[in-house]
């Protein structure tokens, strides 16, 4: 099958990591793939040398329509949907859109046309599906979650991280430093726990536009540490006692799956697609969005009970096959076939 992947995002975050995961998996299934991305995109570096993959640069969705002979187009971000819609008009090439966020679709005519003409709109979670249908009731929806990324945990790195915070138990959060990710909620919970849990350190991995504001929220808190962007995310996850993900809204949040893969018990907010990954009191804990006292109680409850932490992580690990890169690629491959044979 000849598949054109389009991702015109300006940066590299969770959606781009998922694009990489899928293209790598499909490469092992003998598909011919093309990736259309912005000039200088990190996607090109991540996928350099992959067999059967052609690269094309495109600055804008209005550009790059001079040639193409694909069986279908897979759109991995919002601007890509417009690019594929134009290809559909030019060459009748079918396309599908992966929608990764649960915020409402734009109300513009171009957006409605692009989502109406798509053969499928793949939503990472049921919350995203509801959001899409609220704007485009005629959209043909499929729900396929993100995969875990399989970040490696290097034992020497894990030991070095624990030595860096010797005598401390680590509670961590990973992702872009944005208000909607709920870091300020974690900071407030850390401040509430500081007196009774002096051996606990909260570590935040990531960078983002709200970093200065979040550091102001933390003030002089001695139990909060911003460690910035880290290339060895798997090692950091493996060093944690508890992983928190208190987003105020979230399409899915695949970092939760990455933490689960490393045997770390997870606490997430009951928001967006997060409950699609966490079954309360079985594979993790869910707390009210924006509720720092609720988050603090949940963290304390896990820190106080190793058997409970182990039970949650064991149950979470048992469900991970459904979120593996291989399983997710297989589901997309089946969808591609259904679209191309319709």
């Amino acid at each position: 099958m000849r598949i054109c992947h389009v991702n015109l995002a300006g940066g590299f975050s969770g959606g781009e990591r998922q694009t990489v995961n899928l293209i790598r998996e499909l490469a092992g299934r003998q598909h011919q793939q093309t990736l259309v991305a912005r000039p200088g995109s990190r996607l090109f570096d991540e996928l350099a040398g992959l067999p059967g993959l052609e690269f094309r640069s495109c600055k804008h969705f209005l550009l790059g329509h001079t040639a193409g002979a694909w069986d279908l187009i897979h759109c991995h971000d919002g601007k890509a949907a417009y690019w594929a819609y134009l290809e559909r008009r030019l060459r009748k090439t079918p396309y599908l859109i992966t929608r990764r966020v649960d915020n409402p679709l734009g109300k513009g005519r171009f957006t409605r046309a692009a989502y109406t003409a798509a053969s499928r709109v793949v939503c990472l979670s049921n919350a995203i599906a509801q959001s899409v249908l609220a704007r485009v009731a005629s959209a043909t929806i499929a729900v396929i979650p993100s995969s875990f990324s399989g970040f490696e945990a290097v034992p020497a790195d894990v030991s070095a991280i624990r030595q860096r915070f010797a005598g401390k138990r680590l509670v961590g959060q990973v992702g872009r430093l944005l208000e909607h990710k709920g870091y300020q909620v974690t900071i407030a919970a850390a401040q509430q726990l500081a007196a009774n849990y002096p051996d606990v350190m909260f570590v935040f991995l990531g960078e983002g536009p709200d970093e200065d504001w979040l550091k102001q929220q933390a003030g002089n808190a001695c139990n909060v540490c911003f460690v910035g962007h880290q290339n060895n995310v798997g090692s950091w996850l493996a060093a944690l006692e508890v992983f928190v993900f208190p987003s105020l809204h979230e399409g899915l949040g695949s970092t939760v799956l990455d933490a689960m893969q490393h045997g770390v018990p997870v606490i997430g907010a009951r928001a967006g697609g997060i409950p699609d990954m966490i079954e309360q009191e079985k594979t993790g804990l869910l707390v009210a969005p924006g509720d720092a006292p609720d988050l603090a109680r949940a963290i304390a409850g896990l820190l106080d009970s190793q058997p409970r932490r182990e039970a949650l992580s064991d149950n979470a690990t048992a469900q991970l096959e459904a979120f593996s890169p291989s399983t997710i690629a297989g589901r997309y491959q089946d969808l591609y076939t259904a679209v191309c044979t319709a």
Side-chain angles (χ1 to χ4, degrees):
M1 190 177 296
R2 298 165 299 173
I3 307 160
C4 177
H5 300 274
V6 188
N7 188 319
L8 300 179
F12 190 96
S13 56
E16 289 62 62
R17 175 58 60 192
Q18 292 299 315
T19 302
V20 169
N21 290 351
L22 179 60
I23 292 174
R24 283 178 176 164
E25 282 292 326
L26 292 173
R29 303 178 187 219
Q30 308 308 310
H31 296 293
Q32 293 180 321
Q33 300 183 92
T34 300
L35 171 63
V36 178
R38 293 173 63 87
S41 172
R42 181 176 155 188
L43 287 164
F44 295 140
D45 294 331
E46 290 277 340
L47 293 165
L50 195 70
L53 178 62
E54 174 190 350
F55 295 109
R56 294 193 183 188
S57 294
C58 180
K59 293 181 179 179
H60 193 275
F61 66 82
L62 292 174
L63 305 175
H65 297 283
T66 56
W70 305 295
D71 296 313
L72 104 166
I73 298 168
H74 187 163
C75 310
H76 292 271
D77 78 309
K79 293 292 189 293
Y82 304 143
W83 194 94
Y85 176 72
L86 294 177
E87 281 290 308
R88 176 73 173 167
R89 297 295 297 269
L90 287 168
R91 298 184 179 85
K92 302 188 184 304
T93 309
Y95 66 94
L96 59 88
I97 303 168
T98 292
R99 179 74 176 172
R100 305 184 188 279
V101 294
D102 62 345
N103 50 296
L105 283 174
K107 296 181 179 180
R109 293 175 63 185
F110 199 9
T111 299
R112 177 175 292 276
Y115 276 77
T116 300
S119 295
R120 297 288 191 283
V121 179
V122 180
C123 300
L124 301 189
S125 65
N126 291 299
I128 298 175
Q130 293 169 10
S131 176
V132 170
L133 290 172
R135 282 277 196 266
V136 184
S138 61
T140 304
I141 299 293
V143 177
I144 301 177
S146 297
S147 68
F148 60 77
S149 293
F151 294 124
E152 182 183 8
V154 179
D157 289 349
V158 176
S159 296
I161 292 165
R162 288 176 174 159
Q163 184 58 41
R164 175 177 172 180
F165 298 97
K168 300 290 186 180
R169 293 185 289 172
L170 301 182
V171 175
Q173 185 170 345
V174 178
R176 292 272 287 164
L177 298 181
L178 298 167
E179 181 180 5
H180 85 264
K181 293 292 187 180
Y183 283 94
Q184 68 276 13
V185 182
T186 307
I187 289 168
Q191 292 167 338
Q192 294 176 28
L193 294 170
N196 291 329
Y197 294 85
D199 66 328
V200 173
M201 178 65 71
F202 288 77
V203 293
F204 297 151
L205 278 70
E207 300 171 335
D210 292 334
E211 181 172 351
D212 290 342
W213 175 72
L214 289 168
K215 286 181 175 177
Q216 290 176 1
Q217 300 298 306
N220 296 321
C222 61
N223 65 341
V224 173
C225 183
F226 291 81
V227 300
H229 172 74
Q230 299 291 325
N231 291 323
N232 55 343
V233 173
S235 297
W236 279 90
L237 289 171
L240 301 179
E241 292 286 331
V242 176
F243 179 83
V244 295
F245 199 75
S247 292
L248 305 182
H249 59 86
E250 191 73 39
L252 187 74
S254 60
T255 312
V256 167
L257 302 172
D258 296 323
M260 288 176 172
Q261 192 205 2
H262 287 285
V264 183
V266 173
I267 302 170
R270 195 178 290 103
I274 298 173
D276 283 17
M277 300 176 289
I278 300 174
E279 183 177 350
Q280 177 72 319
E281 294 288 355
K282 182 176 181 181
T283 60
L285 301 180
L286 292 168
V287 297
D291 192 331
D294 198 13
L295 178 59
R297 285 190 295 270
I299 294 170
L302 289 188
L303 291 173
D304 289 343
S305 176
Q306 181 175 344
R308 191 177 179 207
R309 294 197 304 272
E310 291 177 348
L312 292 177
S313 63
D314 288 348
N315 290 336
T317 299
Q319 74 166 0
L320 280 180
E321 181 56 33
F323 299 96
S324 73
S326 177
T327 296
I328 299 307
R331 293 183 65 180
Y332 271 110
Q333 184 172 258
D334 291 344
L335 189 58
Y336 294 164
T337 300
V339 167
C340 290
T341 56

